[in-house]
């Protein structure tokens, strides 16, 4: 028996933050990054919390390191909040998740309500039981996976993503596409997750470049915000695949933005999973058929499965070009000799990453080294 359950209530729309007015909370711990304070975006939250006590913990940095989680745990233990609100991108939401997780393990704390307010359209962390924490010394990203990490409420206010600069729109948007496609071809995909993944993938193909080109195209920004959440709902159930398994090990070592790393790998991972090299094949793999289905839904299906998969790959490469994204790790400034030195470790780390388990094709170390060679 399988079960499909959405634990997080999703409030969405221009007035979604109004839901904070109904909180019964009295002591609120807000986890966010310095930009949210400087830009006064955090005021959008605090103005809903009249007559409530709150504390702002604003030291989140991209790819939150263990040390900052430890600092946050110390603050939570001292403040003893009944509610935690995370405001920011995946980094702020993941740091809040990790802080709550470890605080509950260490201390005798009351149950805390958890509200996630994403300000990037990327990770879907507002509806997932994943948190990614970075060990900077070892150069590794650790995914924590536990149902207790799931937020109680996710607030999707498209007004909060208006200020995103184009390069972050591009990086985070490609993360959404990677989540949607990895969820869609995952060995744990089902009819319900497919519906969410299809909608998310096609929405990214339709709206991401528009959102990149114009911050005032609110339809595009709004659609991308919802697509990010839908892809999160899908991969929370299906997990991800080799793309993220490799990305977690490159991001931790070389500090390339998460979505950008995923985007560089994505064309090679699709080709690898689809196994479309044999021109005489009539027996396409399920993954190939599913990639082709996304291409068809977007209106770029081909005369056969192989050409539809190729069209999808070309479309992704076209989007990378239109959004001026680097298409190789060299273009991100990584030195080939340093990259080569790290390859074995990246491949071993990827094989040990939990995301690899649900990849549609059983992956070997050599397969990962081949993907890395193409992506360098
Ligand atoms: N938990 C999950 O399910 C999950 C899934 C994928 C990735 N991740 C993790 O999430 C992290 C990446 O998160 P992200 O891609 O959302 O980026 P991020 O949270 O690291 O933010 C990137 C930058 O964007 C800025 N920013 C955020 N919102 C903004 C806004 N509205 N306007 C202007 N600037 C804004 C931030 O200040 C920051 O400098 C990585 O650590 C990644 O490993 C988690
Ligand atoms: Fe991701």
């Amino acid at each position: 028996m399988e079960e499909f359950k959405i634990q997080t209530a999703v409030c969405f729309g221009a007035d979604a933050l109004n839901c904070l007015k109904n909180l019964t909370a009295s002591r609120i711990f807000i986890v966010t990054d310095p930009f949210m304070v400087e830009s006064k975006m955090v005021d959008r939250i605090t103005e809903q919390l009249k007559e409530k006590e709150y504390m702002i913990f604003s030291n989140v940095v991209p790819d939150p390191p263990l040390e900052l989680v430890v600092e946050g745990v110390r603050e939570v233990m001292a403040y003893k909040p009944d509610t935690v609100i995370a405001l920011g991108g995946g980094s702020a939401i993941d740091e809040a998740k990790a802080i709550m997780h470890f605080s509950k393990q260490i201390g005798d704390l009351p149950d805390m309500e958890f509200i996630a307010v994403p300000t990037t359209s990327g990770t879907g962390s507002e509806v997932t039981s994943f948190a990614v924490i970075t060990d900077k010394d070892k150069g590794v990203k650790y995914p924590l996976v536990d149902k207790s990490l799931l937020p109680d409420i996710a607030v999707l206010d498209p007004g909060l993503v208006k200020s995103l600069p184009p390069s972050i729109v591009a990086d985070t948007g490609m993360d959404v596409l990677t989540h949607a496609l990895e969820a869609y071809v995952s060995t744990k995909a089902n009819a319900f997750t497919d519906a969410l993944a299809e909608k998310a993938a096609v929405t990214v193909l339709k709206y991401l470049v528009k959102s990149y080109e114009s911050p005032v195209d609110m339809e595009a920004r709004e659609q991308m915000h919802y697509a990010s959440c839908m892809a999160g709902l899908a991969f929370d159930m299906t997990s991800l695949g080799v793309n993220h398994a490799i990305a977690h090990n490159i991001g931790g070592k070389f500090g390339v933005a998460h979505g950008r790393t995923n985007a560089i790998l994505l064309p090679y991972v699709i080709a690898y999973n689809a196994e479309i090299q044999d021109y005489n094949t009539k027996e396409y793999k399920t993954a190939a058929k599913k990639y082709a289905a996304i291409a068809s839904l977007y209106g770029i299906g081909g005369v056969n499965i192989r050409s539809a998969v190729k069209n999808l790959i070309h479309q992704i490469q076209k989007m990378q070009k239109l959004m001026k994204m680097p298409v190789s790790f060299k273009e991100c400034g990584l030195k080939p000799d340093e990259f080569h030195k790290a390859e074995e470790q990246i491949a071993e780390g990827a094989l040990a990453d939990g995301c690899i388990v649900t990849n549609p094709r059983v992956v070997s170390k050599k397969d990962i080294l081949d993907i890395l060679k193409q992506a360098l």
Side-chain angles (χ1 to χ4, degrees), residues 3-21:
E3 185 188 43
F4 178 75
K5 187 177 174 190
I6 298 178
Q7 197 164 304
T8 306
V10 180
C11 304
F12 59 97
D15 56 356
L17 281 169
N18 282 346
C19 74
L20 298 180
K21 287 198 174 103

Side-chain angles (χ1 to χ4, degrees), residues 53-307:
E53 264 187 56
Y54 60 82
M55 171 182 171
I56 299 175
F57 178 75
S58 63
N59 69 355
V60 173
V61 295
D63 302 322
L66 279 168
E67 303 84 73
L68 290 185
V69 174
V70 172
E71 208 180 306
V73 169
R74 220 178 287 130
E75 297 286 350
V76 161
M77 305 284 278
Y79 189 66
K80 297 199 175 15
D82 53 21
T83 300
V84 175
I85 299 180
L87 171 75
S91 297
I93 300 174
D94 284 7
E95 186 167 326
K97 284 177 173 178
I99 290 172
M100 290 179 74
H101 179 75
F102 293 116
S103 303
K104 281 190 245 170
Q105 280 189 352
I106 300 169
D108 184 19
L109 289 168
D111 273 349
M112 293 174 274
E113 191 167 26
F114 182 28
I115 298 152
V117 188
T119 64
T120 59
S121 306
T123 68
S125 183
E126 66 276 11
V127 288
T128 73
S129 35
F130 292 77
V132 187
I133 299 303
T134 303
D135 183 335
K136 299 261 179 202
D137 293 338
K138 291 197 183 134
V140 181
K141 284 182 153 192
Y142 291 111
L144 288 173
V145 191
D146 198 299
K147 287 282 168 211
S148 68
L149 300 176
L150 274 167
D152 300 294
I153 304 174
V155 185
L156 308 182
D157 175 349
L160 294 174
V161 293
K162 225 166 150 179
S163 56
L164 281 171
S167 69
I168 297 182
V169 169
D171 291 344
T172 51
M174 291 306 264
D175 193 23
V176 179
L177 186 58
T178 314
H179 294 157
L181 292 177
E182 293 216 284
Y184 199 53
V185 301
S186 156
T187 54
K188 278 169 74 185
N190 61 51
F192 297 90
T193 57
D194 278 358
L196 289 159
E198 272 175 7
K199 176 72 178 172
V202 174
T203 302
V204 178
L205 294 170
K206 202 166 157 193
Y207 286 105
L208 177 56
V209 175
K210 287 184 183 177
S211 175
Y212 168 87
E213 284 172 346
S214 168
V216 293
D217 185 339
M218 280 314 285
E219 186 194 355
R221 294 261 159 146
E222 181 172 14
Q223 290 301 320
M224 279 303 304
H225 213 36
Y226 299 164
S228 167
C229 185
M230 284 180 217
L233 288 168
F235 87 76
D236 189 49
M237 200 165 174
T238 60
S239 187
L240 294 160
V242 65
N243 211 116
H244 269 79
I246 300 177
H248 288 150
N249 287 278
I250 293 180
K253 265 184 194 56
F254 295 106
V256 181
H258 173 72
R260 191 173 301 187
T261 308
N262 275 329
I264 291 170
L265 296 165
L266 189 56
Y268 306 111
V269 168
I270 294 175
Y272 166 75
N273 279 338
E275 298 183 69
I276 49 170
Q277 303 85 336
D278 179 1
Y279 278 81
N280 298 316
T281 192
K282 297 269 180 299
E283 293 280 319
Y284 290 105
K285 300 283 177 195
T286 307
K289 290 181 197 161
K290 291 191 104 171
Y291 291 130
I294 296 288
S296 298
L297 281 169
Y298 180 58
I300 53 168
V303 289
N304 58 28
I305 301 284
R306 176 184 296 101
S307 62

